Amino acid sequence: MPAHTESSPLLPAEPAIERYSPLLSELKESPVDEPARIETTDILRDVIIGFSDGLTVPFALTAGLSSLGSTKIVIMGGLAELFSGAISMGLGAYLAAVTERDHYNAEEQRERNQVDAMPEAQRAQIFCIMDKYHVPRAAVAPLVDELCKNREHWARFMVDFSLRLDRPNIHYAWISGLTMGLSYFIGGIVPMIPYFIMAKVGDAFLVSIAVTAVILVVFGYVKNYVAIRNHRAGVWGAIQTLIIGVLAAGTSYTIVKMLDAHN
């Protein structure tokens, strides 16, 4: 039989229960209902989705309305879409976060019920989870015994490691909705600024294209670079964002122009 080494999971001089005592103490002291953190990545995701949609959709709409030759129509139509789009995006983000929170609560309650109804099966499932990490059952047994003394901790463990669900922050729903709605509004107001300050719709249209193209390139680069930390990915993100914006605006302009000509 091979001798125990320092990397061995069970050392004769250090029983398993002593090695896991800090973790067991943490299980006793940490509250199960501790609120989850609002991750920076969640906020960044909402900003990216809101701002990119705000840049693309209102820009495409104002480009299409520009073909009608009226600054007033562009401004009125653009503002109507901008406000309704921001409200829709914000509300959608809020409802999505609420749904995620309700789903987590439902799954957590289901795990509590299963802990009460099938405790042995749930204990066996903990061992199966740890088996995937190649942790010997003899080392896990003291941890499982301590964990299963508390119904709330036990159910929380099953949600975290069996279902692999992250506990949502109860305050994140309205933060997500507000972040995405404001990001959409800020992104959408940019292509409309030239129409507010220039009398000729054609000139405003050209300036709007130039300004929006620059922002699309910068935004596409930044969002990919922040996410991947790679300049090549940033350049590819800039190209993708610009192509999407150009296709959306070009399609909208062509369709409106054709419909107006037909009428």
Side-chain angles (χ1 to χ4, degrees):
M1 179 181 295
H4 287 290
T5 64
E6 292 184 359
S7 60
S8 176
L10 287 175
L11 295 176
E14 186 181 11
I17 189 65
E18 293 181 6
R19 296 176 60 229
Y20 286 100
S21 58
L23 182 56
L24 298 180
S25 299
E26 184 178 345
L27 284 172
K28 292 179 181 179
E29 297 173 1
S30 61
V32 174
D33 57 351
E34 180 182 356
R37 295 175 300 171
I38 299 176
E39 298 291 344
T40 305
T41 52
D42 295 333
I43 300 294
L44 181 62
R45 178 200 61 196
D46 292 338
V47 170
I48 290 175
I49 295 174
F51 193 79
S52 60
D53 282 2
L55 274 175
T56 305
V57 178
F59 174 55
L61 177 63
T62 53
L65 295 177
S66 297
S67 65
L68 301 178
S70 172
T71 303
K72 183 178 180 180
I73 292 177
V74 174
I75 293 176
M76 292 180 63
L79 286 177
E81 195 287 328
L82 187 58
F83 281 102
S84 61
I87 294 173
S88 176
M89 292 288 290
L91 184 60
Y94 173 82
L95 293 177
V98 168
T99 301
E100 181 182 1
R101 182 189 64 195
D102 293 343
H103 172 66
Y104 181 93
N105 291 337
E107 291 297 328
E108 190 174 38
Q109 183 58 48
R110 187 176 66 86
E111 289 296 338
R112 292 193 191 99
N113 296 337
Q114 289 187 350
V115 163
D116 293 337
M118 301 178 294
E120 292 305 319
Q122 293 296 94
R123 284 176 60 91
Q125 194 169 351
I126 297 177
F127 284 107
C128 291
I129 292 172
M130 302 308 293
D131 281 344
K132 292 188 296 185
Y133 300 96
H134 303 287
V135 181
R137 295 203 170 197
V140 179
L143 177 63
V144 174
D145 292 339
E146 187 68 28
L147 178 66
C148 295
K149 291 178 181 178
N150 187 298
R151 173 176 176 267
E152 296 296 324
H153 288 155
W154 191 353
R156 175 74 178 276
F157 179 90
M158 299 306 296
V159 173
D160 290 344
F161 291 93
S162 179
L163 302 181
R164 297 187 178 183
L165 295 178
D166 294 327
R167 189 179 189 85
N169 191 296
I170 59 175
H171 303 297
Y172 181 67
W174 68 267
I175 295 176
S176 177
L178 185 62
T179 302
M180 191 170 293
L182 285 177
S183 299
Y184 184 92
F185 187 87
I186 294 172
I189 199 68
V190 171
M192 295 187 60
I193 293 177
Y195 297 98
F196 289 107
I197 61 179
M198 303 182 73
K200 294 183 178 180
V201 66
D203 295 340
F205 178 48
L206 294 177
V207 174
S208 178
I209 291 176
V211 171
T212 306
V214 172
I215 294 178
L216 283 171
V217 169
V218 173
F219 176 71
Y221 177 88
V222 170
K223 73 178 180 65
N224 269 30
Y225 181 77
V226 169
I228 306 177
R229 299 291 179 180
N230 183 281
H231 290 291
R232 179 178 298 178
V235 172
W236 177 238
I239 295 174
Q240 284 181 315
T241 307
L242 181 61
I243 291 175
I244 292 173
V246 170
L247 288 177
T251 302
S252 176
Y253 184 91
T254 303
I255 291 175
V256 175
K257 191 71 173 177
M258 290 175 59
L259 292 174
D260 183 55
H262 178 71
N263 290 334

